[in-house]
């Protein structure tokens, strides 16, 4: 049986004239880039090569959630760490289910962008078209807590309460926090 490992396949593709012309257009900032005939996982290989050349964040918008998940999976196979920016999963202006995982994941990715990191983001068209607050609004709201860091527990408890967390004796669900002496459980 004759098989190719992924790195060997990537090296062969890197040498193709077609990919070199896409990378050249990308480097020269000739946008929008139009790539025709890239079916299946080949588009992920192109995105992986572009991600290696990009100085900032990259956003990949796919027509559907299923295609976004496939692209993200392929990019993981290429050795990259893509972030899936999820769609809310509900009709606009409807309440989300309590402890919605979508809210937490969207918040995590927006915090990543506000912190100046350059992630590789993959999302569906629905997620892309959903309005977001501006970075100027989000950046001052971020709270970073690191292991070993001294924190003002009273101020942090007030901030968490203002953000909608509920203070409880013992944390059991998302959105709760407990402060017992110097122990903070979120």
């Amino acid at each position: 049986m004759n098989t190719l490992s992924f790195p060997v396949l990537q090296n062969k593709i890197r040498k193709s004239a077609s990919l070199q012309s896409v990378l050249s257009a990308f480097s020269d900032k000739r946008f929008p880039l139009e790539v025709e005939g890239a079916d299946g996982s080949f588009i992920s290989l192109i995105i992986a090569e572009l991600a290696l050349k990009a100085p900032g964040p990259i956003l990949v918008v796919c027509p559907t959630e299923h295609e976004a998940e496939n692209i993200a999976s392929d990019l993981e196979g290429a050795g990259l760490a893509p972030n899936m920016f999820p769609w809310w999963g509900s009709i606009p202006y409807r309440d989300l289910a309590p402890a919605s995982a979508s809210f937490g994941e969207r918040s995590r990715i927006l915090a990543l962008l506000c912190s100046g990191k350059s992630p590789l983001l993959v999302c569906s068209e629905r997620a892309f078209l959903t309005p977001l607050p501006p970075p100027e609004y989000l950046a001052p709201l971020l709270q970073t807590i690191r292991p070993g860091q001294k924190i003002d527990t009273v101020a942090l408890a007030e901030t968490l309460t203002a953000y909608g967390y509920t203070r409880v004796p013992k944390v059991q669900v998302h959105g709760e926090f407990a402060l017992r002496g110097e122990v903070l459980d979120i």
Side-chain angles (χ1 to χ4, degrees), residues 22 33 39 78 92 111 115 122 127 136 144 149 170 172 174-175:
V22 170
L33 287 177
D39 293 328
S115 69
V122 180
E136 302 80 35
T144 303
Q149 173 186 347
K170 183 179 178 188
Q172 296 180 343
H174 292 285

Side-chain angles (χ1 to χ4, degrees), residues 87-179:
W87 173 58
W88 286 114
S90 71
I91 297 172
Y93 308 108
R94 291 263 171 102
D95 290 339
L96 288 175
S100 170
S102 299
F103 181 81
E105 188 59 16
R106 287 172 67 94
S107 297
R108 182 187 71 77
I109 291 172
L110 292 174
L112 208 86
L113 288 168
C114 286
S115 69
K117 297 199 169 125
S118 298
L120 171 57
L121 301 176
V122 180
C123 70
S124 68
E125 188 175 11
R126 282 181 171 175
F128 177 72
L129 294 174
T130 305
L132 297 170
E136 302 80 35
Y137 173 78
L138 289 176
L141 298 174
L142 296 177
Q143 296 289 316
T144 303
I145 302 172
R146 291 183 177 82
Q149 173 186 347
K150 293 187 185 238
I151 57 172
D152 180 351
T153 54
V154 174
L156 185 58
E158 289 173 2
T159 301
L160 289 172
T161 303
Y163 288 176
Y165 284 79
T166 305
R167 187 171 183 170
V168 295
K170 183 179 178 188
V171 173
Q172 296 180 343
V173 296
H174 292 285
E176 295 180 339
F177 77 97
L179 185 58

Side-chain angles (χ1 to χ4, degrees), residues 5-158:
S5 67
F6 196 81
V8 171
L9 181 62
Q10 272 184 312
N11 287 333
K12 287 188 178 288
I13 291 170
R14 279 187 186 124
K15 295 175 185 173
S16 80
S18 299
L19 180 61
Q20 290 304 314
S21 72
V22 170
L23 294 174
S24 174
F26 182 77
S27 295
D28 296 342
K29 297 182 174 150
R30 290 181 295 194
F31 299 115
L33 287 177
E34 293 184 34
V35 179
E36 295 178 13
D39 293 328
S41 295
F42 187 65
I43 192 69
S44 299
L45 291 170
I46 294 171
I47 294 166
E49 290 301 314
L50 292 174
L52 295 173
K53 305 267 186 235
I58 289 184
L59 174 63
V60 179
V61 181
C62 302
T64 67
E65 312 293 322
H66 181 69
E67 288 173 278
E69 289 168 4
N70 286 342
I71 293 281
S73 176
D74 289 344
L75 291 171
E76 285 175 359
L80 299 174
N83 291 281
M84 276 290 298
F85 190 70
W87 173 58
W88 286 114
S90 71
I91 297 172
Y93 308 108
R94 291 263 171 102
D95 290 339
L96 288 175
S100 170
S102 299
F103 181 81
E105 188 59 16
R106 287 172 67 94
S107 297
R108 182 187 71 77
I109 291 172
L110 292 174
L112 208 86
L113 288 168
C114 286
S115 69
K117 297 199 169 125
S118 298
L120 171 57
L121 301 176
V122 180
C123 70
S124 68
E125 188 175 11
R126 282 181 171 175
F128 177 72
L129 294 174
T130 305
L132 297 170
E136 302 80 35
Y137 173 78
L138 289 176
L141 298 174
L142 296 177
Q143 296 289 316
T144 303
I145 302 172
R146 291 183 177 82
Q149 173 186 347
K150 293 187 185 238
I151 57 172
D152 180 351
T153 54
V154 174
L156 185 58
E158 289 173 2

